[in-house]
Amino acid sequence: MPDNFSIFSIEHCIILATIPASVVFLLFLSGFHYVKARTIQIALAISLFVVEVIWYVFVVIQGWFRFPEDIPLQLCDVTLWLTVVSVLCKNKFAFELAFYWGLGGTTMALLTPDLGFQLPSYPALQFFLSHGMVLIIILFTVFSGL
């Protein structure tokens, strides 16, 4: 079994297809009602926050954290936190940055992941979950009119 993730494998294509399907499902679930859509949006942001905090704890417990290389200052990390802040604080400027950086950077990270882990390892799942949730939140926010 290879150590690295295969780009555009069946698993990768399924993951990529799950993101727009999730947005469509959540839009139908909200029924385009403001209160329902806002509740879904907040739940997604809190879930993303929890997923990311669990990841940082996991990295530290595994002894993988190296200072200063692993400080979360990559574009996708900043975009992730801007997405959470924009939803929870209803900050328009944070959302605009998250929108452009998320559609550009996070989409590219999902299309061309540089993983040293094979699915279904936790690091690979966490990568796709966190990056995918950023796109789901951004697309859901735009299409629901929030």
Side-chain angles (χ1 to χ4, degrees), residues 86-126:
S86 72
V87 169
L88 297 180
C89 299
K90 293 190 78 170
N91 186 312
K92 184 178 178 181
F93 180 70
F95 180 76
E96 289 173 354
L97 283 176
F99 176 83
Y100 290 109
W101 292 349
L103 289 184
T106 306
T107 301
M108 288 309 299
L110 285 166
L111 289 174
T112 59
D114 183 20
L115 297 176
F117 299 94
Q118 187 72 2
L119 281 172
S121 68
Y122 176 66
L125 291 172
Q126 191 280 336

Side-chain angles (χ1 to χ4, degrees), residues 70-81:
D70 291 331
I71 295 174
L73 295 177
Q74 294 180 356
L75 181 62
C76 286
D77 295 322
V78 175
T79 303
L80 184 145
W81 292 113

Side-chain angles (χ1 to χ4, degrees), residues 50-77:
V50 169
V51 163
E52 207 56 21
V53 168
I54 290 170
W55 171 248
Y56 293 138
V57 170
F58 176 78
V59 167
V60 170
I61 288 172
Q62 293 294 319
W64 296 346
F65 184 79
R66 296 174 323 229
F67 184 82
E69 295 90 9
D70 291 331
I71 295 174
L73 295 177
Q74 294 180 356
L75 181 62
C76 286
D77 295 322

